[in-house]
Amino acid sequence: MAEFTTAGPPATALRPRTTAKLALSTLFLANVVVVTALFAASGPSSNALVSLGRLTGLYGALLMAFQLLLIARLPWVDRRLGMDRLTSWHRLLGFGLLWTLTGHAVFIVSGYAVVEGTGPIDQLGTLITTMEDVLRAVVALVLILLVGGLSARYARRRLAYETWHFVHLYTYLAVVLAFGHQVAVGESFVDSPAARAYWWTLWGAALAAVVAGRVVLPLRRNLKHRFRVSAVVPESPEVVSVHITGEKLDELPVRAGQFFLWRFLSRDRWWQANPFSLSAAPDGRSLRLTVKAVGQGSAGLRGLRPGTRVFAEGPYGAFTTAHQTRENALLIAGGVGITPIRALLEEVRGHVVLLYRVRSETDAVLLEELTAIARTRGAVLRLLTGPSDQDGPAGPVLGPRNLAALVPDVTDRDVFVCGPPGMTRAALRGLKELGLPAAQVHAERFSLAG
């Protein structure tokens, strides 16, 4: 049986998540102040619409730079905030970007149309044909609108991850075109070497963060650890565990509850990258992921052969005991969302209660392991069976009354939740109604966990 760690929370006054939020917020607001100062220093334009267009263009470019930072997958930020939260913020900034850049184009064209006494369409044609950098900006805006449209929930759900990711790469072309447009014709930069130096530094840092986090670090880790499949173990007719070995795994900075983007380098799978959590706490010798066959990518894992090379990006995620604030914990899992919870059960400190929600006991993945670990460390394991829409005498199975009955001291525990979206929402709603503060509740989006 594995040894269980019970390391306490960080000794710093501020929690890791709070520290990261403060750092990002301060950095963003400081740059807003600088950008606004640069705009003011360059003086107003001859037309108010043109001035408004310049300002929205600067703010839009700043939003774009911070979007790059949020999805750079820098370890310091990711392990404090989690990829799901960073992705959500990236998405929100994306909507702001669409509005500010669209406003920039509308205000600039309308303003110059007023100055020149022409219509907006004619003025746009004049700007495109007489200024090459304006054409670049128009192309950048079209690309951003295209990517933004395909990122809307309705479109995103109908696209394969690989297709969406490929289209999303055009954003980097838009970044280059927009940057070139601004430094070439932006009134805040044309006559100010200091402003240009600041802008180059800001965008250089954002792009360097992306290259470091998404290219250099994954390449370095894979060259160092040389991951390979060591075994493929069926857990049930629909669930399979894949064991990964490699070199110097004791030096890999990974914790229970985190996940990797796995790319299995076989002939028919090398181009697919799938996010799967570890289903056992890392021991420095091997890694394990456990997957239910819910799609083409996960179903094909059963056919992997031992020895297959693996390219792994990560570890990612803030669903770890680094954020535990109380001495005891409650773990809530649903379906194959048990995988990161199973790993956390080995590492979370204090007395632990595990609520495992499944339709029937035969659907309870890794139940024998869970039972053995719970017995060894004195944890309480409760299997909650029944249809997902089934309510008990006290209301929803994961509603506040049932949670309080199952775990009377729930408000004195940290709670880790992972499962299908409906189950997760029900559990989080129940915990909120019980009055648990946000700092004690930790949830992992199922799409990144299982």
Side-chain angles (χ1 to χ4, degrees), residues 60-133:
L62 182 60
L63 289 176
M64 190 184 295
F66 268 80
Q67 274 198 300
L68 293 176
L69 178 62
L70 291 177
I71 49 89
R73 298 177 185 170
L74 298 177
W76 188 89
V77 179
D78 180 82
R79 66 174 176 258
R80 286 165 172 79
L81 295 172
M83 188 186 290
D84 53 349
R85 182 177 280 103
L86 291 170
T87 301
S88 177
W89 292 354
H90 171 82
R91 177 184 174 83
L92 289 174
L93 286 184
F95 289 118
L97 176 65
L98 290 175
W99 282 109
T100 52
L101 293 189
T102 301
H104 167 70
V106 171
F107 292 139
I108 287 288
V109 172
S110 300
Y112 279 116
V114 170
V115 172
E116 299 295 332
T118 61
I121 302 300
D122 292 337
Q123 186 60 42
L124 177 60
T126 300
L127 290 174
I128 290 176
T129 55
T130 58
M131 302 178 68
E132 180 182 354
D133 291 298

Side-chain angles (χ1 to χ4, degrees), residues 163-234:
T163 303
W164 174 84
H165 181 69
F166 178 77
V167 174
H168 221 69
L169 293 176
Y170 281 104
T171 304
Y172 296 107
L173 175 59
V175 166
V176 173
L177 293 173
F179 177 78
H181 162 73
Q182 283 199 312
V183 296
V185 302
E187 292 185 37
S188 298
F189 308 109
V190 171
D191 298 321
S192 175
R196 285 199 302 274
Y198 159 74
W199 211 237
W200 275 96
T201 301
L202 174 68
W203 280 89
L207 291 172
V210 172
V211 172
R214 305 192 68 160
V215 180
V216 176
L217 185 57
L219 284 174
R220 190 180 73 177
R221 282 184 175 164
N222 280 272
L223 286 173
K224 177 180 180 179
H225 299 295
R226 300 184 180 277
F227 302 107
R228 289 183 180 273
V229 174
S230 61
V232 179
V233 180

Side-chain angles (χ1 to χ4, degrees), residues 17 78-79 81-84 255-259 277 316-323 331-332 337 339-341 344 347 415-419 441-445 449:
R17 184 174 296 135
D78 180 82
R79 66 174 176 258
L81 295 172
M83 188 186 290
D84 53 349
R255 301 191 64 162
Q258 291 188 299
F259 68 95
S277 291
Y316 299 127
F319 195 63
T320 70
T321 58
H323 300 280
L331 309 179
I332 303 177
T339 54
I341 295 293
L344 280 175
E347 189 174 297
V415 185
F416 294 83
V417 185
C418 185
V441 181
H442 318 280
E444 181 78 278
R445 286 198 337 189

Side-chain angles (χ1 to χ4, degrees), residues 109-442:
V109 172
S110 300
Y112 279 116
V114 170
V115 172
E116 299 295 332
T118 61
I121 302 300
D122 292 337
Q123 186 60 42
L124 177 60
T126 300
L127 290 174
I128 290 176
T129 55
T130 58
M131 302 178 68
E132 180 182 354
D133 291 298
V134 173
L135 178 59
R136 293 175 184 172
V138 171
V139 173
L141 179 59
V142 170
L143 290 174
I144 290 171
L145 291 173
L146 172 65
V147 173
L150 293 178
S151 297
R153 284 193 174 90
Y154 178 82
R156 177 68 184 88
R157 290 169 181 167
R158 285 158 178 78
L159 289 176
Y161 171 81
E162 290 77 16
T163 303
W164 174 84
H165 181 69
F166 178 77
V167 174
H168 221 69
L169 293 176
Y170 281 104
T171 304
Y172 296 107
L173 175 59
V175 166
V176 173
L177 293 173
F179 177 78
H181 162 73
Q182 283 199 312
V183 296
V185 302
E187 292 185 37
S188 298
F189 308 109
V190 171
D191 298 321
S192 175
R196 285 199 302 274
Y198 159 74
W199 211 237
W200 275 96
T201 301
L202 174 68
W203 280 89
L207 291 172
V210 172
V211 172
R214 305 192 68 160
V215 180
V216 176
L217 185 57
L219 284 174
R220 190 180 73 177
R221 282 184 175 164
N222 280 272
L223 286 173
K224 177 180 180 179
H225 299 295
R226 300 184 180 277
F227 302 107
R228 289 183 180 273
V229 174
S230 61
V232 179
V233 180
E235 304 287 355
S236 76
E238 293 184 333
V239 178
V240 62
S241 287
V242 180
H243 296 254
I244 309 291
T245 58
E247 301 177 5
K248 302 179 180 178
L249 292 188
D250 58 318
E251 298 178 15
L252 183 65
V254 58
R255 301 191 64 162
Q258 291 188 299
F259 68 95
F260 291 78
L261 296 177
W262 302 96
R263 194 182 298 271
F264 298 96
L265 304 182
S266 59
R267 184 189 305 178
D268 57 340
R269 296 189 58 88
W270 65 268
W271 53 275
Q272 293 181 324
N274 298 105
F276 298 126
S277 291
L278 298 181
S279 61
D283 59 7
R285 299 183 299 276
S286 65
L287 304 171
R288 186 185 75 173
L289 55 119
T290 301
V291 183
K292 184 176 182 179
V294 294
Q296 218 173 17
S298 54
L301 295 183
R302 192 178 294 271
L304 285 174
R305 296 182 178 181
T308 300
R309 292 291 301 272
V310 182
F311 189 92
E313 298 177 48
Y316 299 127
F319 195 63
T320 70
T321 58
H323 300 280
Q324 188 173 352
T325 65
R326 298 301 180 103
E327 291 302 318
N328 300 318
L330 166 62
L331 309 179
I332 303 177
V336 80
I338 191 64
T339 54
I341 295 293
R342 153 66 177 83
L344 280 175
L345 183 59
E346 297 185 62
E347 189 174 297
V348 70
R349 72 180 189 278
H351 179 265
V352 183
V353 176
L354 169 57
L355 304 181
Y356 188 7
R357 183 79 170 98
V358 289
R359 291 184 63 86
S360 66
E361 187 170 336
T362 57
D363 295 320
V365 180
L366 307 176
L367 183 57
E368 290 186 9
E369 291 185 18
L370 294 166
T371 302
I373 295 173
R375 184 182 303 115
T376 299
R377 65 166 301 167
V380 176
L381 169 60
R382 299 186 188 279
L383 197 63
L384 309 178
T385 60
S388 58
D389 58 351
Q390 181 186 65
D391 292 343
V397 175
L398 294 176
R401 291 180 62 190
N402 272 331
L403 286 174
L406 291 167
V407 191
D409 63 344
V410 59
T411 56
D412 293 325
R413 295 173 179 264
D414 269 85
V415 185
F416 294 83
V417 185
C418 185
M423 186 224 79
T424 300
R425 285 193 297 269
L428 295 179
R429 186 164 54 247
L431 294 168
K432 184 177 181 179
E433 291 181 26
L434 287 171
L436 268 77
Q440 285 177 232
V441 181
H442 318 280

